[in-house]
Amino acid sequence: MKTFEPAVYLDGLRRGRGYADQLVHVQTTPARPPRFGTLRTRLSPPVVRALAAAGAERLYTHQAEAISAALAGQNVVVATSTASGKTLCFNAPVLEVLARDPLARALYLYPTKALAQDQLGKWQALVRGAGGGIINPQAATYDGDTPQAARARIRKTARVLLTNPDMLHTGILPNHPLWAEFFRHLKYVIIDEAHTYRGVFGSQVACVLRRLRRVCGLYRVAEGRTTNDEFSERGVSTPSSFGIRHSSSPVFIATSATIANPAEHFELLTGLPATVISDDGSPHGPRTFALWNPPFIDRARATRRSANHEASELFSGLVGGGVRTIAFARARVVAELLLRYARQQLRTGHPELVERIAAYRAGYLPEERRRIERELFGGRLLGVTATTALELGIDVGGLDAALLVGYPGTVASLWQQAGRAGRGEDPALAVLIGLDNPLDQFYMRHPADLLGRPHENALLDPDNIYILQRHLPCAAHEVPLRVPHEEGRGAGQDDEALFGPGFVDAMVALENAGTLRYTGEQWVYARRDYPAQDVSLRDAEGDRFAVLDASNNFRMLEELSASTAPFRVHPGAIYLHQGESYLVTEYSHDLRHAIVTPVAAEHYTQPRELNDVRIVRSIRHRELPTTTAYLGRVRVRSQVIGYRRLQQSSEAVLGEEPLDMPLTEYETVALWWDVPPEYPAELAARGLDFLGGIHAVEHAAIGILPLFAMCDRWDIGGLSTPRHPDTETAQIFIYDGFPGGVGIAEKGFALLPELWAATLDVIRGCPCADGCPSCVQSPKCGNNNQPLDKRAAAFILQRLLKQ
C-alpha cells in the first residue's frame, strides 16, 4: 500500500479550489530512533518467551525502568507519549509475579469498558507467547456487561481482573467478602490512562482508590488474628476459613499521558508516593502538525466559515483518497454532525465509501461500540468521527491522519488525539481546526504557544467535602471508619489521614444526618440500604437520565448524566444518535427520562442558561496593584431558560425558544474581584458601556481560563454585575461548575494577572469590530450576549494591568 505523505497532501490543499489561506501553521517533527534499556531484575523464562513473542526482546528505556521499579516493590507512574509501549510497563511485572507466585492476583482499572475489553486481548496474546509456563494465568473482564452467571466463576478463577472504577465502586468493594481470596493475594493494582482521572470524576475515583486500600488493609492482620469479627460487626456472613495469613499491600502502577504533575497527581489519586518514569525511549516516524483556521465570511464581524463544515470536507477528502482518518470532536452532537456532513459529501464523489465511515462516542450500546472498534481495526472502516471515547488507548489499528475539531481543552489531550495517527515509524498528520472561541483563536494566532506549551497540571480534589459525603458512607458500609486513639482497636487505622482534611466536616454532617452512627470506637453505616448504588462516579449529582425512542417501543437509545440532561434533552432539543436526528417531545425531571422521536431536521439546538451567584464566605484574598481579588465559597443557582435553533451547514441562528426548566442549586468555589468604582465614569466619558465591558471581560476570561487549568470552558461559570447584593460593589465572578469545586477557580485566582493579560490579548487580537464568538461572546449566555462592549472590556483590562 502506498505510504501517506502529509506534505504532498497539504500542498494539494493549498492548490485546491476554495483554499483561502486556512493553513496558518505547519510544523514537522523528524523521526525519532529507539533507545533501549536494561532490566535490573532477571525475568522468569516464561516471561522472557512472552516478551520475545511480542517483539519486545529489547525494552525501551522507559519500559526497562518501569518494570524494574515495579518488581522492586515501588509504586510507579509512567508518563510517556501515545503508542510508546506503556502497556508492557505493567503487563510484564504482573506476568512475572504470576510466574513466581501461583496465588498472586492483579487488578487492572480502565476508565472505560471498551478499553478493558481491548486490553484483555493484549494480555491473552502475551500469555500465549509464554508457552504455557505459568500456572493458570487466566484473565477476565468484570463490568456491567458481564453475565450474572459468569461472575461467581470469575471471582474464583481469575488471577487478573480487568474492570473500571465504576464496577470496583458498586460491585466489588461493597461485596469484598466474596472476593476474599482475590484481595488476600492482590499484588498489583494497575491504573491505565490515569490522566483521565481529573475534575469531579477523578476526585471520586480517588475516594474509591482509598476505599480499595482500606479493604486491602483489612486483609493484612497481625499474627494469628482473623477478620471474622470485622464482618460480624456489620452482619456479614463469612466462611470459617476467612483467617488472614498473607500480606495484601499491592503495588500501584499508573500510566498517563504527559502531564506537568505526574507525581503529585498520582499521590492525590492514590494517597501514595510514586517513582515517575518519563524518559520516553520509543521511536516514531515523522509527524506533521498543522493549524487550520476557517476563513472569514465577514471580517468586520469576524464571522468565519463553519469549523464543522471545514472538518467534514477535510475528513471526506482524506477518506476519499484512501487515507485512514479519525476526526475528534469535543461534543457528541458535533461527532454526529460530522458523520452526517461527510456522508452527504461522499455520496457525490465516492458513494461506495458512505458505509465505510461511522461515528463513535460514549453512550452507544456496548455491542454497537465493539462492532465499530472491530471494523476500524480490521480495515472495513476507513474513517471514524469520535469524541474523546476513542482518545484513549483502544487499539484501532494504524491510522494515517487525525483531525481535531477544536482545541480539546488540554495539551495532554491534544497530543493524545494527535498521537492516534501514525503506524510505527510511518509518517502521520494531525490537523487542529480552530473554533470560534477565545482559546482556539488565541492558539491560531500564537501557534508557538500551543506547540511549545508545557503540559498542564491535572486537577482533582479528593478532600472535597461534598464528594466525601458520598463516599464515606460507602467506606463505612465496607469496613467501619476509625481514627487512632491511645487504647483500643482503632489504633493503626487512621481514616482521617487517609481521606484528608475534609474528613471531619464530612463526618459531622453525616452523623447529624443519621447516615453514620458512632459506637464508641468506630463509625458504622446506620441504614439498611446499599449506599454505593446511589453514587455515580461520572456525575456530581449521581443520577442517570434515560433517552427513550418512541418509534421503537420506547427502547433506550442511551443514558446521560442527569446533571447534563437539561442542556442536552430539554423539550424541543434536536438529539443526534449515529448521525440521525431525534426531536425531544417529552422531558421528565421526576421520572429521569426524555422521550424522542425520529425527525428529518436540518438544524440543531443550543441551550441558554441563566445563573445567580451569592457569596457564602471568602477563604483568601489578594491585594493587587489595582484591585482586591478573592477566593471563596459561593452558592450558584442555574437554570436553562431557552434554546437556539442553528442551521446545520452554516450555523446561522434560525430562531430562539423560551423554556421553563427546573432550577439547580449548589455550593462551589469561585474567584472574584472588585471592579474599581471610578471605572464607570471613565468609560462613560469615552462613550463606552460599563455593563457591556464587565460582561465582555467575564465571557472572555472564562473562555481563556483553560489556557492555565486542565479544564473545559463548559466546566466554568461566571457572573458580572454592577452591584452585587453581598458586597454593594461591581464584581466579576468565575466559578467551578461542580458542587464543591475541583480547583479550577483556585488556579485562576493564583494566576489572575496572567489570566487578565491573556484575556486582553484575545480581545485585542480579534479583528471583529464589536465582539464575536472568537473573543467576547459566549455560546451559553442567558442574556443573549447583551450588553457587550469589546472596547470597554479592553479598557478595563488595561487599567487592571496598569497598562
Side-chain angles (χ1 to χ4, degrees):
M1 191 175 80
K2 184 180 178 181
T3 301
F4 173 58
E5 298 182 51
V8 174
Y9 167 74
L10 295 176
D11 284 343
L13 289 179
R14 293 187 183 98
R15 294 193 302 270
R17 192 176 69 178
Y19 179 71
D21 296 322
Q22 291 102 317
L23 280 168
V24 296
H25 184 77
V26 177
Q27 176 175 305
T28 298
T29 304
R32 181 178 69 192
R35 291 183 295 116
F36 299 103
T38 304
L39 289 174
R40 296 192 294 271
T41 303
R42 184 183 296 275
L43 297 177
S44 305
V47 180
V48 173
R49 290 195 298 270
L51 294 180
E57 297 96 333
R58 301 176 70 192
L59 297 169
Y60 301 135
T61 51
H62 63 281
Q63 293 174 329
E65 284 297 313
I67 294 167
S68 298
L71 290 175
Q74 301 172 34
N75 299 313
V76 177
V77 55
V78 184
T80 55
S81 61
T82 305
S84 59
K86 290 192 286 284
T87 301
L88 208 58
C89 294
F90 53 77
N91 272 347
V94 170
L95 194 61
E96 178 66 21
V97 78
L98 264 58
R100 294 180 184 179
D101 180 353
L103 297 177
R105 305 289 197 274
L107 177 66
Y108 284 46
L109 293 175
Y110 294 97
T112 66
K113 291 184 284 188
L115 188 54
Q117 287 285 347
D118 180 74
Q119 293 294 317
L120 175 62
K122 291 185 177 180
W123 170 264
Q124 291 169 336
L126 188 67
V127 168
R128 284 194 297 271
I134 299 173
I135 299 172
N136 183 30
Q138 185 171 337
T141 56
Y142 192 87
D143 55 38
D145 298 336
T146 304
Q148 288 292 334
R151 296 188 178 192
R153 174 181 55 78
I154 290 171
R155 285 196 296 268
K156 291 178 181 178
T157 62
R159 296 185 67 195
V160 175
L161 192 74
L162 296 87
T163 187
N164 54 65
D166 311 78
M167 194 64 175
L168 179 63
H169 156 62
T170 59
I172 298 175
L173 292 178
N175 301 298
H176 62 82
L178 300 176
W179 295 86
E181 191 72 8
F182 187 87
F183 283 119
R184 184 177 296 128
H185 300 291
L186 182 61
K187 302 302 181 186
Y188 284 109
V189 175
I190 310 304
I191 308 170
D192 198 19
E193 306 286 359
H195 64 282
T196 62
Y197 300 124
R198 60 181 190 268
V200 169
F201 179 43
S203 301
Q204 298 212 78
V205 171
C207 288
V208 173
L209 292 176
R210 283 158 175 76
R211 287 163 48 199
L212 170 64
R213 290 178 54 205
R214 294 179 79 243
V215 168
C216 289
L218 184 63
Y219 292 84
R220 293 194 310 272
V221 68
E223 291 180 50
R225 181 181 163 196
T226 72
T227 58
N228 288 344
D229 56 339
E230 301 282 354
F231 295 104
S232 63
E233 291 168 0
R234 291 180 44 229
V236 178
S237 59
T238 56
S240 60
S241 61
F242 200 59
I244 295 176
R245 297 288 186 272
H246 298 87
S247 171
S248 185
S249 300
V251 170
F252 283 73
I253 307 174
T255 66
S256 171
T258 306
I259 56 176
N261 61 332
E264 177 194 28
H265 179 250
F266 182 94
E267 188 159 358
L268 286 170
L269 193 59
T270 65
L272 298 165
T275 299
V276 176
I277 310 294
S278 57
D279 182 19
D280 190 342
S282 66
H284 63 68
R287 294 177 174 175
T288 299
F289 198 104
L291 272 60
W292 181 278
N293 209 11
F296 285 112
I297 298 172
D298 183 339
R299 179 172 285 272
R301 296 182 179 178
T303 304
R304 296 182 180 273
R305 193 167 180 239
S306 163
N308 296 340
H309 193 78
E310 296 277 295
S312 65
E313 286 193 345
L314 292 171
F315 179 72
S316 57
L318 285 162
V319 169
V323 179
R324 298 194 67 207
T325 305
I326 185 167
F328 284 105
R330 299 201 58 194
R332 295 180 178 190
V333 65
V334 177
E336 300 284 1
L337 283 172
L338 290 177
L339 176 64
R340 171 177 286 194
Y341 296 165
R343 282 179 171 168
Q344 290 171 352
Q345 290 154 9
L346 286 172
R347 283 190 184 100
T348 60
H350 298 278
E352 75 281 4
L353 299 180
V354 167
E355 296 305 319
R356 294 192 65 187
I357 60 173
Y360 183 103
R361 59 177 175 79
Y364 286 174
L365 297 176
E367 56 269 23
E368 196 170 12
R369 290 197 309 270
R370 284 165 196 159
R371 175 183 59 79
I372 295 169
E373 291 161 16
R374 287 194 305 270
E375 292 180 349
L376 191 57
F377 182 84
R380 198 198 79 78
L381 287 176
L382 265 179
V384 64
T385 65
T387 58
T388 54
L390 267 183
E391 176 184 315
L392 305 179
I394 296 170
D395 191 351
V396 292
L399 298 172
D400 301 305
L403 303 178
L404 286 60
V405 188
Y407 177 65
T410 70
V411 172
S413 287
L414 177 83
W415 295 117
Q416 281 281 103
Q417 293 182 7
R420 295 302 266 157
R423 310 175 195 223
E425 298 185 39
D426 287 345
L429 172 68
V431 182
L432 174 62
I433 302 162
L435 301 182
D436 260 351
N437 65 52
L439 189 58
D440 281 42
Q441 291 305 310
F442 177 89
Y443 283 140
M444 290 293 139
R445 291 193 301 273
H446 304 285
D449 281 6
L450 173 67
L451 301 177
R453 185 170 187 77
H455 293 269
E456 307 96 338
N457 291 275
L459 302 176
L460 56 87
D461 182 14
D463 303 332
N464 181 316
I465 185 174
Y466 297 95
I467 290 175
L468 284 175
Q469 284 182 45
R470 304 177 73 196
H471 285 272
L472 289 176
C474 301
H477 179 260
E478 292 151 8
V479 183
L481 291 158
R482 297 192 182 112
V483 295
H485 47 79
E486 292 182 6
E487 301 286 342
R489 296 173 52 202
Q493 179 180 327
D494 188 353
D495 287 316
E496 182 178 356
L498 181 65
F499 286 103
F503 178 83
V504 172
D505 288 344
M507 291 292 286
V508 169
L510 291 166
E511 264 198 278
N512 291 339
T515 305
L516 298 181
R517 184 179 72 252
Y518 186 57
T519 64
E521 56 184 26
Q522 61 189 12
W523 286 267
V524 297
Y525 186 62
R527 298 173 181 170
R528 295 187 177 275
D529 59 359
Y530 178 64
Q533 69 184 352
D534 296 322
V535 178
S536 167
L537 302 185
R538 315 261 172 175
D539 183 25
E541 302 301 325
D543 290 334
R544 305 298 288 169
F545 211 90
V547 181
L548 309 177
D549 181 3
S551 71
N552 190 14
N553 295 319
F554 298 94
R555 173 179 173 268
M556 187 173 72
L557 278 180
E558 58 184 277
E559 278 189 315
L560 311 174
S561 157
S563 63
T564 66
F567 299 92
R568 297 180 52 205
V569 289
H570 55 74
I574 295 295
Y575 188 77
L576 293 180
H577 181 82
Q578 272 293 12
E580 300 300 321
S581 296
Y582 295 82
L583 175 68
V584 179
T585 58
E586 180 182 317
Y587 176 96
S588 175
H589 175 77
D590 294 333
L591 296 178
R592 292 294 193 266
H593 74 224
I595 296 175
V596 300
T597 186
V599 63
E602 297 301 322
H603 70 278
Y604 66 100
T605 51
Q606 192 176 75
R608 294 168 46 222
E609 67 171 314
L610 203 58
N611 299 318
D612 178 56
V613 179
R614 299 302 297 265
I615 298 170
V616 176
R617 67 179 183 275
S618 171
I619 299 171
R620 298 200 296 273
H621 72 277
R622 293 181 66 184
E623 294 291 345
L624 297 167
T626 54
T627 188
T628 303
Y630 305 87
L631 181 75
R633 306 203 69 81
V634 297
R635 180 157 291 278
V636 174
R637 302 174 73 201
S638 178
Q639 184 177 27
V640 174
I641 61 167
Y643 64 94
R644 300 182 182 92
R645 289 179 288 111
L646 294 95
Q647 183 73 36
Q648 282 186 1
S649 56
S650 66
E651 300 183 29
V653 177
L654 301 177
E656 301 189 8
E657 302 294 337
L659 288 173
D660 184 19
M661 297 292 285
L663 188 72
T664 60
E665 188 170 349
Y666 57 93
E667 191 172 302
T668 188
V669 176
L671 73 94
W672 66 94
W673 66 89
D674 299 329
V675 181
E678 62 272 18
Y679 286 12
E682 294 177 4
L683 287 164
R686 290 166 172 78
L688 302 176
D689 181 7
F690 174 68
L691 293 181
I694 58 175
H695 194 192
V697 169
E698 173 213 331
H699 282 183
I702 287 172
I704 205 68
L705 181 53
L707 190 68
F708 303 99
M710 207 166 182
C711 68
D712 185 282
R713 74 176 291 168
W714 294 89
D715 297 338
I716 317 165
L719 177 74
S720 51
T721 174
R723 186 174 179 182
H724 193 273
D726 295 329
T727 63
E728 300 297 326
T729 60
Q731 311 277 173
I732 296 175
F733 291 80
I734 298 175
Y735 58 83
D736 287 17
F738 304 105
V742 290
I744 301 169
E746 187 170 3
K747 193 74 174 177
F749 175 77
L751 299 171
L752 190 54
E754 292 89 339
L755 175 62
W756 288 338
T759 305
L760 179 59
D761 183 277
V762 163
I763 293 172
R764 280 175 168 170
C766 186
C768 72
D770 300 313
C772 70
S774 295
C775 57
V776 299
Q777 290 181 6
S778 169
K780 61 177 185 174
C781 179
N783 294 308
N784 284 320
N785 285 298
Q786 295 293 330
L788 288 175
D789 190 324
K790 179 181 176 181
R791 291 173 57 210
F795 175 86
I796 291 169
L797 289 164
Q798 286 173 317
R799 288 295 310 275
L800 288 171
L801 291 164
K802 297 189 75 172
Q803 290 187 3

